[in-house]
Amino acid sequence: MRHFLTRCSIIVCLLLAMVLPVQATQSYSHLYIAISDALMNTKQDKEAEAKQALEQFAADWAKVTSEQKEAKAKVDEILAHATEATSKDERLEALSALSNALRALEKLENPVDEAAQRAEFGQKFKPMMADFEKALASGDMQAIDEAYKDFNIKWNKNERPVREQSIAMYGQIETQMAFLRISISAEEPDIALMQAQFADLQQTIEDFVAGKETAEAVEGDYSLATLITYINEAMDFVEAGDYKKASDKIRDFIKIWPSVEIEISTRNGSLYTKIESDMPIIVSDLLKSSVDQEAITKKLANFRTEIELIQGDSDYTFWDAALILLREGLEALLIILALVSFLEKSGQSKMRKWIYVGAFVGVLLSAVAAVLMSTILNSATIDTNRELMEGYVGLLAAAMMIGVGIWLHSKSSVASWNRYISKQMGNAISSGSVFAMAMISFLSVFREGAETLVFYAGIAPKMETSQFILGIVVALLILVVLALVLWKASGKIPIHKFFAVATVFIYALAFKIIGVSLHTLQLTDNLSTTIVDGLPVISWIGFYPTVETIIGQVILLVLVAATMLYKKRQKR
């Protein structure tokens, strides 16, 4: 057992060492993600999640140092307003101001010449606009299509100055390009319409280069839920055969897309690219004389599910943290009670206080180590690899949970451990060593604590430290109550049933960790995503309708079933 835990600790430490980067410069990317999370949850009326995202921002922001004192103080002031906001509109306004204040601070720390940026942007796009205008004049649809694709590629590579300087102008250019793409993909292309659309696009770009703000920001509280609603309505129209209304609904989707796209681009870059490139094509396909209803419905359904996967990105609750400690704490509690009982039967009851001292020290050190681990795993210093770490560490922890459930807590392992404890206890009593007595108790508790730490490594990165601590406190309170009940019951309670139920919950948590960890790797494009049609997202149990996550969870279920059958055969 000791060797197993040592190996586990080494593996976890090596994994953390590989993913923890050394940052030479200050990065604010994690702060923008926290603001995005708070905005998204506020728009969806998820009060608790919005506050949690703000708390994460505040915790990360507290670690930021800057020579731009005035700009930093402005962020502090707006953050206080966002935290104290009492209404949805007030918080949304404060979050928008917070994002702008953070961007202003970033600009002061990394000063740029915006006029020079616009001029450089204009120089890059001038020949591309000329090439596209020339292709339009030729009337050759193949040349127009190729020119547009080249234009779009260059736009994606150079759009940053527009997005950073004017969200309204950026959104207008994105929408104009999407509508131009719809016209190019039409069954009977209208060159005159394309020329008019391109003229509008060209004028917007020229206005931006000249420093003119001629676009209006899209008004409204739009979110991922809005995108899903538009897709559902479009699918209903497709099913009813009203392709014109379905096409109009996708156009509405395209219009609000620039206001919501950051919520997808920060979590799933490949999905962001697919939506931008495919939605205009879907609009065109819906307006053709022959519509492939099945193909369009399938594509829209896939987009809806992938957006739901992001929307359903799950964190762990304090109950998940409490569950692990309850399972391991219950076993430690039974060992302590057995040691005290052993002392009383040996006529050494006066020494039992040292059992309690050792147990208390073991619990205290385990709790401190768990909190330190949560703090480290939630540190801003691991931001650039946070989600990658969450995925791989989560899978490692799930594998260890399965191993513990199947092997370490099997009858032979527990019996072997108990024999070892009994032998050590006998030696301690014969020598009368108080230190040895306390150490046996400490080791008994810390053994379970070490296993608990391994399990916690899988959930700590996706938990607020406050929630993590709350879970530990709740579990300890429940364990205190259980200790009193068990002490009074004098062995009348069927403890094996407690273990059976607790072990089932541990497997359920392993099921969730596997799903969430694989889903995290999918969002970071480290694992492919194959959507399974017709299945829902159930984030609270970690179920995501993709082939990859389902395979991982099925493997767990098969191992659990095989273990149960094996144990039944052993009993027979």
Side-chain angles (χ1 to χ4, degrees), residues 101-122:
L102 185 62
R103 189 170 288 109
L105 172 63
E106 201 168 17
K107 285 182 179 179
L108 287 172
E109 291 181 341
N110 306 281
V112 295
D113 186 338
E114 291 189 349
Q117 276 191 338
R118 292 195 301 271
E120 183 183 359
F121 177 83

Side-chain angles (χ1 to χ4, degrees), residues 437-451:
M437 199 80 61
M439 183 56 67
I440 292 169
S441 175
F442 167 77
L443 289 175
S444 299
V445 172
F446 198 71
R447 165 188 180 262
E448 305 302 327
E451 292 177 8

Side-chain angles (χ1 to χ4, degrees), residues 220-232:
D221 294 334
Y222 301 114
S223 64
L224 297 181
T226 312
L227 299 181
I228 293 170
T229 299
Y230 281 1
I231 290 176
N232 284 335

Side-chain angles (χ1 to χ4, degrees), residues 248-282:
D248 290 342
K249 190 54 64 176
I250 300 300
R251 284 177 182 269
D252 291 339
F253 180 104
I254 290 170
K255 288 177 183 176
I256 70 162
W257 169 250
S259 303
V260 188
E261 64 176 31
I262 191 171
E263 296 178 15
I264 292 179
S265 63
T266 55
R267 291 173 173 80
N268 191 334
S270 62
L271 175 61
Y272 165 80
T273 302
K274 283 191 293 184
I275 288 177
E276 282 216 332
S277 62
D278 290 1
M279 278 302 192
I281 304 297
I282 291 175

Side-chain angles (χ1 to χ4, degrees), residues 78-224:
I78 298 174
L79 174 59
H81 289 322
T83 304
E84 296 166 5
T86 56
S87 68
K88 177 179 177 180
D89 291 339
E90 186 181 354
R91 180 179 292 127
L92 287 172
E93 185 179 350
L95 287 170
S96 178
L98 183 62
S99 179
N100 291 333
L102 185 62
R103 189 170 288 109
L105 172 63
E106 201 168 17
K107 285 182 179 179
L108 287 172
E109 291 181 341
N110 306 281
V112 295
D113 186 338
E114 291 189 349
Q117 276 191 338
R118 292 195 301 271
E120 183 183 359
F121 177 83
Q123 287 297 317
K124 288 179 179 178
F125 270 77
K126 193 172 182 179
M128 287 184 284
M129 289 191 291
D131 290 343
F132 189 78
E133 195 169 17
K134 182 179 179 181
L136 276 175
S138 72
D140 184 345
M141 286 310 303
Q142 183 176 350
I144 292 172
D145 185 55
E146 289 176 358
Y148 175 85
K149 288 177 180 177
D150 183 57
F151 188 96
N152 188 55
I153 290 171
K154 299 291 176 52
W155 161 252
N156 288 331
K157 288 181 178 179
N158 298 283
E159 65 180 25
R160 183 174 179 179
V162 186
R163 186 175 63 247
E164 290 182 347
Q165 292 189 32
S166 174
I167 291 295
M169 296 292 277
Y170 171 78
Q172 183 162 299
I173 292 173
E174 286 264 297
T175 304
Q176 289 172 335
M177 289 183 63
F179 285 169
L180 181 57
R181 179 61 179 165
I182 291 170
S183 299
I184 294 172
S185 304
E187 190 171 33
E188 296 180 4
D190 186 336
I191 300 295
L193 174 61
M194 283 185 273
Q195 288 174 333
Q197 289 174 327
F198 178 69
D200 291 338
L201 172 61
Q202 191 174 28
Q203 186 61 54
T204 303
I205 292 175
E206 289 174 355
D207 287 343
F208 170 74
V209 173
K212 299 177 182 177
E213 187 74 28
T214 56
E216 292 183 7
V218 177
E219 299 294 335
D221 294 334
Y222 301 114
S223 64
L224 297 181

Side-chain angles (χ1 to χ4, degrees), residues 559-571:
L559 286 173
V560 171
T563 302
M564 291 173 66
L565 290 174
Y566 175 74
K567 287 186 176 180
K568 281 185 178 180
R569 288 182 179 178
Q570 277 192 322
K571 287 181 181 179

Side-chain angles (χ1 to χ4, degrees), residues 303-350:
F303 280 148
R304 179 185 62 191
T305 302
E306 290 199 66
I307 295 172
E308 286 174 343
L309 288 175
I310 295 174
Q311 189 183 36
D313 194 11
S314 176
D315 287 341
Y316 297 98
T317 68
F318 74 93
W319 281 115
D320 293 315
L323 174 63
I324 292 174
L325 185 55
L326 278 173
R327 170 60 181 83
E328 301 306 312
L330 181 60
E331 185 166 340
L333 178 61
L334 292 176
I335 292 173
I336 296 304
L337 292 177
L339 292 176
V340 171
S341 177
F342 191 92
L343 282 175
E344 290 182 345
K345 290 177 181 178
S346 305
Q348 302 287 335
S349 57
K350 62 181 180 179

